[in-house]
Amino acid sequence: MDKCLGDGSILYLGDCAEKLKLIQTGSIDLVVTDPPYDLANMSDMDNGYYHSLPHYKEMESFATGYDIREIGAELLRVMKSPEMYIWCNKLQIPDYFDFYVKENGLRFDILCWHKPNVPPYFSNKYLSDTEYCLHFFGGEGKCFPTDYDSAKTFWVEPMNVEDKKYYNHPTIKPQNMIAQLVANSSKEGDTVLDCFMGSGTTGAASVLQGRKFVGIELDKEFYKIAASRVETALLHRKSALGEDVVEQDLTMAQLFAPDNSDAVGDADGEEW
């Protein structure tokens, strides 16, 4: 079910530990990815808060983290030079730093997304109102913001409740944030990789800005959603550039947008 798109992008269905081996060494310009958070081990730290979330049971299969070293070694292999943004929760930060900074000598920035509308759960704990995006890079790096706003390391933005409901994914990130990361650290024609593709946010943000995209997703349903989303974004990019796009093709792509009639979104818009 792997799919090659017309612009040179490719979408893989399967385990990224295996699919990454198919990617040529030194072929990727930028990694922007949102791997599984380690929530299973946070119960003691947060008094069972994460286990109490309405969607925790549903998503428990990928709420136990992943092998940071195994996947990280493959990411470093496929990149031309290290330039990556990795979303994570606080429990994972030491492991990421051990591998990427201590063992591989990369430099780093820490970006934060502060959500002012989280539910007021703070019994013997601080609010879970911040998510972290670790920017690892080698040498001088390739991050070139164009103005003050695009150079900020701290976003204040409400949880994207509507995206969660529309794409039926509980941990989806706001596309405008992902688009800024892609714009800051790549240029048109570059290849962006997301090995935990989810609902395709990085893919859509990449192809809309003229980047090629390589995505990997294990879950079949999320893969279908991501494929539809990336293909639709690519058609909109072509249309915006004045390229010939058959109207029927654009319509068909939109027809295969996710069916939200059974969306499971959290009424409170809670983020993991």
Side-chain angles (χ1 to χ4, degrees):
M1 200 173 174
D2 296 344
K3 181 174 292 190
C4 295
L5 307 182
D7 69 333
S9 297
I10 184 167
L11 309 179
Y12 293 103
L13 173 63
D15 189 334
C16 68
E18 297 301 321
K19 294 296 185 178
L20 279 169
K21 297 174 183 176
L22 302 178
I23 300 176
Q24 183 178 352
T25 299
S27 62
I28 300 297
D29 296 285
L30 172 66
V31 170
V32 181
T33 193
D34 187 10
Y37 287 9
D38 189 348
L39 304 184
N41 294 322
M42 293 193 72
S43 182
D44 291 340
M45 296 172 61
D46 292 301
N47 296 325
Y49 161 73
Y50 285 102
H51 286 187
S52 72
L53 296 180
H55 51 254
Y56 180 85
K57 224 25 185 167
E58 175 196 355
M59 308 304 286
E60 192 171 14
S61 61
F62 57 86
T64 55
Y66 72 107
D67 191 327
I68 289 174
R69 281 175 169 75
E70 178 187 9
I71 301 303
E74 279 297 296
L75 293 180
L76 293 176
R77 178 188 66 79
V78 302
M79 299 204 73
K80 295 177 181 177
S81 62
E83 182 74 19
M84 58 184 70
Y85 294 91
I86 303 175
W87 291 87
C88 68
N89 65 336
K90 61 186 178 183
L91 190 65
Q92 296 170 303
I93 292 176
D95 290 336
Y96 278 117
F97 273 60
D98 283 347
F99 178 74
Y100 287 106
V101 179
K102 291 184 180 179
E103 296 178 22
N104 286 282
L106 300 188
R107 299 168 64 193
F108 67 91
D109 284 308
I110 301 178
L111 285 61
C112 296
W113 171 24
H114 174 71
K115 298 167 288 187
N117 61 333
V118 298
Y121 300 142
F122 49 83
S123 176
N124 198 30
K125 65 182 287 295
Y126 289 103
L127 286 171
S128 297
D129 59 0
T130 303
E131 292 193 51
Y132 306 94
C133 181
L134 306 180
H135 175 212
F136 295 114
F137 56 97
E140 297 300 316
K142 296 185 295 185
C143 180
F144 299 103
T146 57
D147 54 33
Y148 189 86
D149 283 338
S150 64
K152 289 181 179 178
T153 61
F154 194 82
W155 292 289
V156 179
E157 185 162 332
M159 292 181 294
N160 47 329
V161 180
E162 291 306 312
D163 283 349
K164 292 183 182 188
K165 292 179 179 178
Y166 188 79
Y167 295 110
N168 199 18
H169 196 294
T171 65
I172 189 172
K173 299 301 182 288
Q175 186 166 316
N176 64 302
M177 291 185 190
I178 303 301
Q180 189 62 68
L181 301 180
V182 171
N184 284 352
S185 290
S186 66
K187 59 184 184 297
E188 285 195 34
D190 280 356
T191 301
V192 180
L193 168 67
D194 184 352
C195 56
F196 297 97
M197 182 167 58
S199 61
T201 304
T202 299
S206 297
V207 301
L208 281 171
Q209 298 183 84
R211 279 67 165 168
K212 290 174 283 189
F213 176 67
V214 177
I216 306 172
E217 175 55 41
L218 178 62
D219 185 279
K220 290 182 180 179
E221 293 307 311
F222 288 142
Y223 178 87
K224 291 177 184 177
I225 292 171
S228 170
R229 191 176 177 189
V230 174
E231 288 180 304
T232 301
L234 181 57
L235 289 173
H236 279 290
R237 166 74 178 179
K238 290 181 178 179
S239 179
L241 292 175
E243 297 182 18
D244 290 334
V245 176
V246 179
E247 187 65 30
Q248 183 180 5
D249 290 343
L250 186 56
T251 303
M252 287 299 291
Q254 292 169 330
L255 283 175
F256 285 96
D259 177 5
N260 300 302
S261 59
D262 297 316
V264 187
D266 175 5
D268 294 321
E270 175 56 28
E271 184 67 32
W272 291 26

